[in-house]
Amino acid sequence: MSVRFQKMQGLGNDFVVIDKRHQAFSPTLNNVSKICDRRLGIGCDQFVLLDTPSLPGADVLVRFFNPDGSEAGACGNASRCVAALLGHAPVLQTQVGLLPSLVTETGEIGIDMGAPRLGWREVPLARETDTLVLPLPGAPAACSMGNPHATFFNGIQDAAQFGPELEHDPLFPERANIGFGQIRARDNLRLRVWERGAGLTPACGSGACAAVVNGVRRNLLDRRCIVEMDGGSLRIEWREDGHVLMIGPATLVFEGEWPQ
């Protein structure tokens, strides 16, 4: 018995998507890890499961899983890939609520990621802490975009070296995505992100959103910003209504069947 899947990518951030609305599939730790494995499976940064929504106004329920089998509340690039796959600018139901999508005139996909969560309990952090200046070397800022993020603004060279340790720092009870940013202009940021459960990836949509939010809070960036990552660029806008809009490309790579 097998299930059909689609392999999608956004700026090199790649995902395997299975739609269980039309076929049976159980996202166990074992089969998610195998699917994500680049030697033994299909290979991806995250696994995405589509299901029937339960909230009014939603077109599809979307769940995100890291290669280690842990579930993430949100993923920006994966959300854009799902929107591109389904077409017609669907509204996605996620753990953090409804995420509307849009298609630009040039065919790029946008996602309204909602409002960032800025309180220490919302990130979450292990203890009461000023999220604008965390008590860690380099003094990163933190917020949640449906998943916890900490952003440094002192260069990108330390991402692979310090990302693994910082992901598991006791300050982050649910671990954290760690962003390393270099300010090029008020409307331009170079960024690398160590993703919890996935490691260093070519791009991270929620990480780009978090970096702009934290940069604006630090008065380092404008509310509209181009975020350049290893895999390409995203346009991020922290709108006046408090929501963060992310726009960029998303592409179907191939389709296939996976034996259960």
Side-chain angles (χ1 to χ4, degrees):
M1 184 176 179
S2 62
V3 292
R4 290 203 59 78
F5 70 86
Q6 285 83 29
K7 174 72 174 284
M8 303 287 296
Q9 67 90 13
L11 305 181
N13 202 187
D14 60 341
F15 312 95
V16 171
V17 182
I18 289 180
D19 190 341
K20 68 171 295 186
R21 294 175 299 173
H22 312 297
Q23 55 189 342
F25 180 80
S26 177
T28 65
L29 172 62
N30 184 55
N31 58 28
V32 167
S33 297
K34 281 186 176 180
I35 285 172
C36 294
D37 192 291
R38 296 189 183 277
R39 293 181 181 272
L40 305 177
I42 304 167
C44 58
D45 292 323
Q46 280 190 323
F47 169 74
V48 181
L49 185 68
L50 307 185
D51 206 342
T52 303
S54 60
L55 295 179
D59 295 299
V60 64
L61 171 65
V62 189
R63 297 174 66 188
F64 311 96
F65 295 87
N66 297 315
D68 63 3
S70 61
E71 189 165 359
C75 177
N77 279 330
S79 296
R80 291 192 308 98
C81 284
V82 169
L85 181 64
L86 298 182
H88 309 294
V91 176
L92 313 183
Q93 178 185 336
T94 71
Q95 283 188 11
V96 297
L98 300 183
L99 304 183
S101 65
L102 60 87
V103 181
T104 69
E105 293 180 354
T106 59
E108 290 187 309
I109 306 297
I111 292 286
D112 178 350
M113 294 290 289
R117 296 160 175 81
L118 307 179
W120 70 272
R121 289 187 178 90
E122 298 173 308
V123 172
L125 302 177
R127 61 184 184 276
E128 184 173 359
T129 305
D130 181 359
T131 62
L132 196 56
V133 185
L134 298 186
L136 294 172
C143 70
S144 172
M145 290 302 311
N147 47 9
H149 288 270
T151 313
F152 293 82
F153 293 99
N154 51 6
I156 63 171
Q157 66 278 2
D158 296 331
Q161 180 179 358
F162 295 110
E165 179 180 355
L166 288 164
E167 174 192 350
H168 295 275
D169 190 278
L171 186 59
F172 308 115
E174 297 181 6
R175 298 182 293 162
N177 301 279
I178 311 298
F180 298 83
Q182 178 184 1
I183 305 290
R184 291 180 167 173
R186 289 194 62 88
D187 62 353
N188 186 267
L189 174 70
R190 178 74 171 94
L191 181 71
R192 302 187 82 195
V193 179
W194 179 273
E195 294 194 50
R196 62 174 183 172
L200 195 62
T201 56
C204 178
S206 61
C209 294
V212 171
V213 167
N214 287 329
V216 171
R217 296 171 68 208
R218 286 269 184 93
N219 195 27
L220 298 172
L221 295 172
D222 293 336
R223 296 180 80 93
R224 290 185 179 183
C225 187
I226 300 295
V227 179
E228 299 179 11
M229 293 169 283
D230 290 352
S233 299
L234 288 171
R235 288 183 282 150
I236 308 295
E237 180 182 0
W238 190 9
R239 301 185 318 208
E240 294 301 329
D241 66 0
H243 287 215
V244 181
L245 179 64
M246 170 185 55
I247 297 175
T251 305
L252 174 65
V253 181
F254 61 85
E255 299 178 282
E257 293 188 357
W258 174 258
Q260 294 202 69

